[in-house]
Amino acid sequence: MPETNGLLRAARERTPSRRAPGEHMSRTELADAVCTWLWETTAMKYELDGHYIAKLERGAVRWPGAAYRSGLRYILNVANDNELGFVPPGTAGGDAELTTSSTYGMEDDVIEAGDESIALLALAEESNVGDLTVEQLHADIQRITQNYLKVPTRPLFLRSRSIRDRAFKLLAGRQPPSQTRDLYAAAGWALTLLGWISVDLGRPDVAESHTRTAWACAEAADADELRAWVRATQHTAAFWQDDYARAADYAQDGLQYAAGTSAVFLSSAAAMDLARLGDSDEARRLLKLAMSTPIRPEQSQLGGPFLCTVERAEGLWSDTHLNLGEPLQTLEHADRGVALFEAAPHAQRNYGSERMVRLQQVRARLELNELDGAIDALDAVLGTPPEYRVHPLIHRMSEVAALVRTGPFGKEPKARAMHERIRAFTQRPTTVR
């Protein structure tokens, strides 16, 4: 049978082989690399092989599972599924692959067994907790943050919960004070992750339950950076409940603990909140503070939601200008942010934040009556796989839909088509996978 997915094959043949210089990666090598990366990022075993890669290249399977798609995107260094020729179910030729892992139906057992093995490190050390155990907890947290919204959410959610539980179990024993603080910090970061993920899954009220305990852990650990990001997560939970006054209070309180990129995030977030509340003078003061704060991401130990790069900050600044009634400045910051995202290495690119900044481009162009430009900016977001359509993205999409419907071009055929595409997008939000 002739191969029908030339894009995937071309991407594979652009990737150097590990066996001989100048040779492209074989199907088996590609499968092994994907499985290795998935194991390192999710602690789940997958059994992708060269035969399955052949099926993908033939087009026999047009929409593999979320884990395989994320792994292939990473190994082949592409930004989205379209670049690999994958067609989602419900479109012409689309055929969903319902299960691609030999662990289907027992994911919880696999993760639990791995966590139990890690927990046994404590028994191999002289006290109930040693340096290797604490190191493993923090390494797990870092891996989750760096891979959030790049791999399926469910394994990362479960690992965060497991880290929380393991840290508290160890705290019930006896250890030196320095290790007690480290364990509280690990538990606090895990709880903050659970809070952030809960917001993205549409439950900011549940997020607040996690962050209250996270704050207590940050206090017990006496960890200012953790305090700052707990406040950032509390801000985010309040913001997506449209409680901008409480969000601003959290962000401003967090500034007293913040340094580096957390300071940029919190001052930017507070400016955004106050602009929405109509306090333009204070919003501009905090915006100026945020833009004058040096951003040095290399100083941050974590990534993902707990790292505010320049491009992520540009998105917050664009939102502030939009609510100050300044669409030209909104577009300037959003365009600069998107350009920086596109220039970032694939492994370090925060696609979740990038999608939100692209929607700032859309909103600014709609405010400026540039319908064609808004449609072009929206196209990059409409290709987001369903498993990454988090609640804030759906919420922001709904705001765009309202602008399209009520704007001066609401009756134009292009605007109606744009509105229908947004409706189709928002009807397929993410689920925990």
Side-chain angles (χ1 to χ4, degrees):
M1 175 183 293
E3 292 175 339
T4 58
N5 190 346
L7 292 175
L8 177 58
R9 184 184 183 187
R12 174 172 61 83
E13 293 183 350
R14 287 196 304 269
T15 307
S17 171
R18 293 170 293 179
R19 294 181 299 181
E23 290 187 6
H24 63 71
M25 180 177 281
S26 70
R27 289 166 175 162
T28 299
E29 285 179 315
L30 175 57
D32 289 345
V34 170
C35 288
T36 298
W37 182 77
L38 286 171
W39 171 256
E40 291 174 351
T41 54
T42 70
M44 291 178 60
K45 183 178 180 181
Y46 291 82
E47 294 188 357
L48 180 65
D49 58 22
H51 296 295
Y52 191 81
I53 298 295
K55 288 173 66 177
L56 295 175
E57 292 185 350
R58 289 199 307 270
V61 175
R62 304 299 300 277
W63 189 251
Y68 285 178
R69 296 199 314 277
S70 61
L72 288 165
R73 289 194 302 268
Y74 181 84
I75 298 300
L76 297 176
N77 194 31
V78 301
N80 55 58
D81 295 321
N82 293 337
E83 293 184 46
L84 297 178
F86 295 146
V87 180
T91 59
D95 182 18
E97 179 75 353
L98 296 180
T99 174
T100 55
S101 169
S102 63
T103 61
Y104 179 74
M106 53 176 294
E107 293 93 340
D108 293 359
D109 295 329
V110 172
I111 291 174
E112 184 178 357
D115 290 334
E116 288 169 352
S117 295
I118 292 170
L120 291 174
L121 274 173
L123 299 179
E125 297 175 323
E126 293 182 0
S127 64
N128 90 302
V129 57
D131 292 339
L132 291 177
T133 304
V134 174
E135 180 182 336
Q136 182 66 56
L137 289 169
H138 286 276
D140 284 352
I141 291 165
Q142 185 172 30
R143 182 173 296 167
I144 292 168
T145 61
Q146 293 174 349
N147 287 285
Y148 185 49
L149 293 185
K150 296 179 182 178
V151 301
T153 302
R154 188 168 189 267
L156 301 185
F157 182 87
L158 293 173
R159 287 202 68 76
S160 299
R161 189 171 64 183
S162 177
I163 293 168
R164 175 201 65 184
D165 294 345
R166 195 159 70 246
F168 275 108
K169 182 177 180 181
L170 290 167
L171 282 166
R174 297 178 62 184
Q175 62 276 151
S178 62
Q179 289 180 338
T180 299
R181 287 193 295 271
D182 287 342
L183 287 173
Y184 273 118
W189 284 115
L191 284 155
T192 309
L193 271 168
L194 289 172
W196 200 279
I197 294 173
S198 296
V199 171
D200 279 351
L201 294 174
R203 292 303 305 269
D205 54 329
V206 175
E208 294 187 348
S209 299
H210 293 303
T211 55
R212 288 189 192 99
T213 308
W215 182 259
C217 289
E219 292 280 82
D222 194 22
D224 277 349
E225 189 67 0
L226 176 55
R227 287 186 180 105
W229 283 111
V230 172
R231 287 296 191 233
T233 308
Q234 290 173 317
H235 154 272
T236 304
F239 180 90
W240 291 111
Q241 295 177 83
D242 297 328
D243 191 344
Y244 305 123
R246 193 158 57 96
D249 288 343
Y250 279 131
Q252 290 176 292
D253 184 71
L255 280 170
Q256 65 183 299
Y257 309 106
T261 76
S262 61
V264 176
F265 180 90
L266 287 164
S267 52
S268 302
M272 180 178 64
D273 300 329
L274 292 167
R276 286 177 175 255
L277 290 169
D279 189 347
S280 59
D281 290 342
E282 188 65 7
R284 292 184 192 280
R285 184 189 73 80
L286 285 162
L287 182 61
K288 184 177 180 180
L289 172 65
M291 296 177 70
S292 64
T293 302
I295 299 179
R296 300 185 180 91
E298 67 275 5
Q299 294 180 350
S300 177
Q301 296 182 352
L302 298 177
F306 306 136
L307 174 65
C308 188
T309 58
V310 177
E311 49 267 39
R312 188 180 182 190
E314 292 280 3
L316 298 172
W317 301 340
S318 70
D319 191 296
T320 301
H321 280 293
L322 187 71
N323 286 283
L324 290 172
E326 300 167 346
L328 284 174
Q329 291 92 328
T330 299
L331 188 58
E332 178 184 342
H333 285 292
D335 285 348
R336 189 156 51 234
V338 167
L340 289 169
F341 276 117
E342 291 178 338
H346 174 74
Q348 299 172 20
R349 196 164 165 180
N350 185 331
Y351 288 99
S353 293
E354 178 179 342
R355 294 173 192 123
M356 300 295 279
V357 180
R358 288 186 183 277
L359 290 184
Q360 290 296 104
Q361 286 182 311
V362 177
R363 297 166 75 199
R365 292 196 179 279
L366 289 173
E367 293 282 354
L368 293 168
N369 296 327
E370 299 176 8
L371 181 59
D372 288 339
I375 292 171
D376 289 342
L378 182 66
D379 283 341
V381 183
L382 290 174
T384 304
E387 63 268 22
Y388 301 136
R389 297 179 188 180
V390 294
H391 176 73
L393 183 65
I394 295 295
H395 188 106
R396 189 69 84 222
M397 273 288 204
S398 299
E399 292 179 345
V400 171
L403 283 174
V404 174
R405 187 174 62 251
T406 61
F409 29 68
K411 295 183 179 180
E412 293 184 25
K414 286 183 180 180
R416 289 200 301 269
M418 184 182 183
H419 189 265
E420 286 303 312
R421 294 174 72 194
I422 294 173
R423 283 190 61 209
F425 182 96
T426 57
Q427 287 170 359
R428 298 189 65 194
T430 190
T431 57
V432 179
R433 299 186 60 179

